[in-house]
């Protein structure tokens, strides 16, 4: 075996290993968002040093009109939105039934029912120009899916088109990846 063959083997092994790693991570997060959803708030609090809720609520001053929260998770921001002074009409969307169940319990404990919808971001069951504000505080990879961006353009009214364009989102995500303490490289889906 020549030195070039070893390098080719190493490159192929790295690619296979990376693809395996990505599949394992996706599998693990699917479990985390579903079967282990009950651990989400505890894990989020631990990894954020107790700042998870405050980080999500940093979006509140920027929201106006009818609000759509993509990936409402366990309802932390939903609860904050419904309890805030001058509460805005809000719809929470989440793909995980387990996360939605936790959100419903949180809202019920606060005396609210909320408007929650089980759906995926790439096919939202709302009419054209239904929302003035869209928020996704801690989105997973669905946010960079071109179908998600198309849905946001379809649903959003009064939001400058440049804010929900692939170029702006890509630049923001590239900047985030560059600052990450874990090596990250973004690729198109």
């Amino acid at each position: 075996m020549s030195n070039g063959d070893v390098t080719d083997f190493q490159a192929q092994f790295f690619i296979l290993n990376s693809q395996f790693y990505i599949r394992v991570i996706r599998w693990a997060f699917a479990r985390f968002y579903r079967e282990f959803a009950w651990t989400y708030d505890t894990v989020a609090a631990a990894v954020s040093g107790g700042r998870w809720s405050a980080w999500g609520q940093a979006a509140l001053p920027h929201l106006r009109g009818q609000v759509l929260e993509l990936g409402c998770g366990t309802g932390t921001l939903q609860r904050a939105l419904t309890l805030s002074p001058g509460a805005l009409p809000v719809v929470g969307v989440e793909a995980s039934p387990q996360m939605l169940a936790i959100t419903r319990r949180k809202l019920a404990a606060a005396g609210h029912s909320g408007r929650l919808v089980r759906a995926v971001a790439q096919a939202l069951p709302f009419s054209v120009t239904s929302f003035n504000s869209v928020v996704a505080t801690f989105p997973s990879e669905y946010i960079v899916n071109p179908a998600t961006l198309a849905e946001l353009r379809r649903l959003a009214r009064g939001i400058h088109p440049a804010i929900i364009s692939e170029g702006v989102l890509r630049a923001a995500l590239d900047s985030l990846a560059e600052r990450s303490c874990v090596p990250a490289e973004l690729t198109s889906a």
Side-chain angles (χ1 to χ4, degrees):
M1 206 179 325
S2 73
N3 194 22
D5 292 338
V6 170
T7 304
D8 289 343
F9 171 77
Q10 288 171 330
Q12 290 173 353
F13 179 77
F14 177 76
I15 290 169
L16 290 173
N17 218 11
S18 295
Q19 291 170 351
F20 175 74
Y21 175 75
I22 290 168
R23 283 194 305 271
V24 168
I25 292 297
R26 284 182 177 150
W27 176 87
F29 271 96
R31 304 293 73 74
F32 184 50
Y33 294 143
R34 289 178 175 77
E35 295 92 331
F36 296 104
W38 58 273
T39 68
Y40 188 88
D41 288 338
T42 302
V43 172
V47 301
S48 69
R51 296 182 300 260
W52 194 264
S53 181
W55 289 346
Q57 290 179 32
L60 290 175
H62 306 286
L63 303 176
R64 61 178 172 72
Q66 179 74 32
V67 178
L68 171 66
E69 183 185 9
L70 284 180
C72 65
T74 60
T76 301
L77 188 59
Q78 286 288 305
R79 187 175 183 281
L81 282 163
T82 58
L83 296 178
S84 65
L88 298 171
V90 61
V91 176
V93 172
E94 176 59 56
S96 165
Q98 292 88 345
M99 292 283 205
L100 280 176
I102 294 169
T103 300
R104 283 189 180 92
R105 285 194 299 271
K106 280 185 182 178
L107 291 175
H112 295 278
S113 59
R115 183 166 172 219
L116 303 172
V117 177
R118 183 171 178 219
V120 295
Q122 299 81 15
L124 296 166
F126 307 110
S127 63
V128 175
T129 66
S130 299
F131 300 96
N132 302 100
S133 299
V134 178
V135 62
T137 52
F138 300 105
S140 60
E141 66 184 334
Y142 71 83
I143 200 70
V144 294
N145 186 314
T148 299
L149 295 172
E151 279 295 273
L152 293 179
R153 276 190 220 93
R154 182 180 72 79
L155 296 174
R157 68 172 176 249
I159 299 175
H160 191 282
I163 292 176
I164 48 177
S165 71
E166 290 93 340
V168 172
L169 180 62
R170 180 61 191 216
L173 292 171
D174 284 340
S175 173
L176 183 62
E178 287 171 9
R179 294 188 315 250
S180 173
C181 59
V182 176
E185 181 180 332
L186 299 174
T187 58
S188 297

